[in-house]
């Protein structure tokens, strides 16, 4: 038997080394600042950076949406299910003290709404063309795509007026009168509601009214200066 010596694997030639050159700072291009997308500027106020506030607000919106989809608003003495909303907050990433405080705010919003004449009216199934968490897409004056979600909209069967209601879980500062608080919040969200109003005007010629519903207070604040009469073609 003839033995064959294994041939050594050829070693590849080393690649030529490249000479490195240090760049001078002056030779680098200047950084470019990108403008904020128009869709964010046109319609939506600056969102809270606080994850806790966003999470609690999300769950309160979900809870009110579920109430609005029922055949009738539950009685004022109905107790919200704490386990249901605890789990919803946990899915948002809350735990520990933040979870307990968030749950208290969600339950407070639900109880305040069920005990509030204005809150029950906002969620009433007696309205026409009822919408909750209504997603719409439009274009800004500059042509940018704008996505929006209207918390609650309906046509009051008694007056024929289209309502746009935005939910807020904020409350007055200690010692702050209701009128001052409502005025301050109205100014903060005026541009947002104006965007909603102008978009719905393209879809509905009925009279339009806009309001902020404060969930933990069970109170509706109407921005009368944003009201529109019926559109005449």
């Amino acid at each position: 038997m003839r033995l064959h010596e294994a041939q050594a694997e050829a070693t590849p030639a080393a690649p030529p080394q490249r000479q490195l050159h240090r760049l001078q700072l002056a030779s680098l291009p200047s950084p470019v600042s990108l403008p904020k997308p128009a869709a964010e500027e046109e319609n939506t106020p600056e969102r809270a950076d606080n994850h806790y506030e966003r999470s609690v607000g999300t769950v309160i919106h979900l809870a009110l949406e579920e109430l609005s989809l029922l055949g009738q608003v539950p009685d004022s003495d109905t107790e919200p299910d704490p386990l249901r909303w605890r789990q919803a907050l946990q899915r948002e990433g809350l735990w520990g003290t933040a979870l307990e405080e968030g749950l208290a705010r969600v339950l407070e919003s639900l109880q305040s709404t069920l005990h509030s004449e204005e809150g029950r009216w906002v969620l009433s199934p007696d309205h026409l063309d009822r919408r909750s968490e209504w997603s719409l897409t439009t274009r800004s004056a500059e042509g940018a795509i704008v996505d929006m979600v209207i918390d609650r909209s309906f046509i009051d069967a008694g007056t024929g007026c289209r309502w746009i209601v935005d939910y807020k879980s904020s409350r007055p500062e200690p010692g702050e009168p209701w009128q001052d608080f409502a005025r301050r919040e109205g100014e903060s969200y005026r541009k947002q509601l104006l965007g909603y109003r102008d978009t719905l005007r393209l879809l509905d010629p009925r009279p339009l009214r806009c309001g902020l519903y404060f969930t933990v207070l069970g109170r509706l604040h109407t921005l009368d200066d944003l009201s529109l009469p019926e559109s005449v073609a």
Side-chain angles (χ1 to χ4, degrees), residues 104-151:
R105 284 181 59 182
V106 173
L107 297 179
E108 181 182 12
S109 289
L110 289 173
Q111 291 168 338
S112 295
T113 296
L114 293 179
H115 283 84
S116 162
E117 182 177 346
E118 291 178 326
R120 297 179 68 86
W121 179 77
V122 167
L123 299 178
S124 172
D126 296 333
H127 300 308
L128 305 176
D129 195 26
R130 305 179 301 278
R131 309 289 184 112
S132 292
E133 303 302 318
W134 190 7
S135 297
L136 294 169
T137 300
T138 186
R139 285 186 179 274
S140 69
E142 294 75 21
I145 298 297
V146 180
D147 294 321
M148 59 181 63
V149 178
I150 300 177
D151 295 340

